[in-house]
Amino acid sequence: MTTMALGKAINAGLRCAMESDPKVVLMGEDIGKLGGVFRVTEGLQQEFGEQRVIDTPLAESGIIGTAVGMAMRGYRPVCEIQFDGFAYPAFDQIVSQVAKLHNRTKGDVKMPMTIRIPYGGGIGAVEHHSESPEAYFAHTAGLRVVTCSNAADGHLMIRQAIASEDPVIFFEPKRRYWEKGEVDEQASLESAPLHRARVVVAGTDVTIATYGPLVSTALAAASVAAEEGISLEVIDLRTLSPIDFDSLEASVGRTGRLVVAHEASVFLGVGAEIAARISERCFFRLEAPVLRIGGFSVPYPPAKLEDAFLPDADRILDAVDRSLAI
Amino acid sequence: MTTVMARPDVPANPVPTPGQVDAQGLTPDQDLVQLIGPDGRRTSGSPFAALVADIGPEELRSIYRDLVVVRRIDAEATALQRQGQLGLWAPLLGQEAAQVGSARALGADDFVFASYREHGVAYCRGVDPTMMMRFWRGSTQSGWNPYEFGMTTPAIVVGSQALHATGYAMGIQHDGASSAAVAYFGDGATSQGDLSEAFGFAATFLAPVVFFCQNNQWAISEPVHLQSHLAIAKRGEGFGIPSIRVDGNDVLAVCAVTRHALARAYSGQGPTLIEAVTFRMGPHTTSDDPSRYRAPAEEEEWKAKDPLARVRALLEAEGLIDAAYLEQVTTSADETARSLRSGCIGTVEPLPMSLFDQVYAEPHPLIEEERASYAAYLERLEDQSS
């Protein structure tokens, strides 16, 4: 076990993947000499050369579109979109090409591509640097969407995403890049399935389902609740397409109450799908309606307002209270 | 910083003389590579002629046969659409030389990234026309395995494939191979950002890619000047991509400039942009009505430049054809048409449950859940009706 920050863990995971498969190439803006604006690719160009860690022109559609061609040639591209809000120029290539090519060609063409997107707020950034666009991608057939919340998962899940024969959108909670955790660098790809949620803290009263940046927030809420004698079960979803409803159902079967939390706007977000599915699966076991908390239906605000926009432990606890009051 | 080199013996990008340019910044006759005039006579003086000097009588006859067969495939498909056998068809009428001429220049290891009108290219790559029909019939999204023929199936989002070609070419480069990717696209696609991004990436990385634009003058109802103030070939210059403007209705000239571009790609000199100036003699698709937006006079003008007629005139002038040969060509075209017609009509249509196939390469629980749920639903329906 090694202690490392999430960003460093992803970096180490990328290095592992590049060492074990010469077809893995990294593409993105500023990922080479600079090592990425968050330094997630730091040192990799020096180690693997400019052929495998490619600084691209500033064109997101171009990055993904050329990665499609590289994948068709047998490469395994790992593309970095520098910030969440810059994913949209690449949206057409991702949704119309990356997601569909395997199905379009009846499996003749495979798209083993990983698209890394640092996402979410909380870093006091300017506009377009704090968004949570995961629902757009999870809504698209043909893509897999995952997000890590801690260093161990960062290291394991990036390797699993790269090894996947399908395209994976890999969301990295940028405000947690510096949070440290224990990483087993020898963990095998089979040590935990990519598409399985994890119970981070077991509890009995209310299930909190969340992912990415809000897992830490939910854990903080669980500590506060525990002091008041309320037992929260915190589930890190880890995977947003597919969503591990079996794990959620099992948890809600125990607690009877579910609060879903994410930074993305609540309206038509991941929480909406979870609320619908869990209502179908657990109708007679639910003690209260599934509640959702998250971003408001407003554009991501300027930095001085982001604390009001982002769900914090208090908002999670408020939802817990409302759930328990029914 | 990379330097883009042109082959010294071939003028890659002739510069028009000031004062002689038209609205698109061109002297149409001067900078258009042409080896066979509309009257079927060989034009002299072009340095590109040397690149097709090996094409003798037999190959010329086989080129003409291809042109006729491809036009016949197109006519048969249009008829099949009118008869309800195809949902849609995008006719290539008028663009046969641009497609056959360029495709014949390609090597087996080259990879074509097509738009959706490249039936002639597909034919030259060995794709059975029946496979082409199945896409337009609505039976499949992809009529053939791209790896089997070195050619992708139709890209409907115009311009998207230029980036794929560029990335594939970067892969060729990384492999240290000497082949090329060829992106086919139309004049309309040049307005897409993906084209500019593809030019940028290709120039930066010196990718072995040929950008082959069939400027057929019309993007559905929009004339080419609505896409570009300058000639499309001129766009390459700003990216540092040597560009050639060729008479797209001259099969030999198209073949020559494509060979030139491929030679550059194979030898590590990077991308080339070819603008093949041609004309879409038919509608955009079988759903389109060109009489709403273009004048018959324009169509008449281009009929005089028909890409098939000029090869035939050349063959006649050089005494290379006789009645027996023409009979063979007709028979070949008729057989192809008969075969694609019966193949199209005999298509085994996909079953509803195939909806869930190949969405992902690896198992996906949502897909499996929906597959099972839909199968159960179909079973319930059957139970109720029996």
Side-chain angles (χ1 to χ4, degrees), chain B residues 104-290:
Chain B
R104 276 187 164 247
L106 303 177
D109 290 342
D110 297 328
F111 209 103
V112 171
F113 290 78
S115 181
Y116 47 77
R117 206 186 296 281
E118 280 71 49
H119 322 303
V121 178
Y123 176 76
C124 292
R125 297 300 280 175
V127 176
D128 183 328
T130 299
M131 295 174 171
M132 305 178 204
M133 299 303 122
R134 288 180 181 153
F135 171 79
W136 299 95
R137 186 178 169 89
S139 305
T140 178
Q141 305 287 36
S142 190
W144 61 87
N145 179 346
Y147 294 113
E148 194 178 331
F149 301 100
M151 175 168 177
T152 59
T153 48
I156 302 297
V157 180
V158 298
S160 58
Q161 75 280 12
L163 280 169
H164 306 165
T166 303
Y168 190 91
M170 288 162 66
I172 291 173
Q173 196 174 41
H174 288 204
D175 290 344
S178 69
S179 56
V182 185
Y184 283 83
F185 53 91
D187 42 300
T190 62
S191 292
Q192 292 283 354
D194 275 1
L195 250 296
S196 289
E197 295 190 19
F199 290 162
F201 274 65
T204 294
F205 297 116
L206 221 59
V209 55
V210 177
F211 295 110
F212 192 91
C213 176
Q214 293 173 81
N215 172 5
N216 69 11
Q217 313 300 322
W218 292 91
I220 306 188
S221 71
E222 299 191 347
V224 65
H225 62 72
L226 203 137
Q227 313 296 340
S228 184
H229 183 63
L230 286 170
I232 286 160
K234 293 219 159 257
R235 291 204 169 182
E237 293 176 27
F239 291 91
I241 298 177
S243 307
I244 307 170
R245 203 162 190 255
V246 64
D247 181 343
N249 285 9
D250 173 349
V251 74
L252 287 185
V254 170
C255 185
V257 299
T258 310
R259 284 177 171 184
H260 167 67
L262 288 168
R264 282 178 37 80
Y266 298 158
S267 59
Q269 296 176 75
T272 307
L273 169 63
I274 294 170
E275 177 191 359
V277 181
T278 180
F279 188 70
R280 194 194 75 209
M281 294 170 86
H284 162 66
T285 67
T286 44
S287 296
D288 180 35
D289 174 10

Side-chain angles (χ1 to χ4, degrees), chain A residues 28 37 48 50 52 65 68 93 106 121 135 138 152 176 179 182 188 193 196 243 258 276-277 279 301-302 317 323:
Chain A
V37 293
F48 297 99
E50 292 181 9
R52 293 189 65 196
V68 167
Q93 284 288 344
K106 294 186 282 294
R176 307 296 183 199
E179 284 189 8
E182 292 294 301
S188 83
R196 183 77 51 79
I243 293 173
L258 173 63
R277 297 258 173 181
S279 298
L317 290 168
S323 178

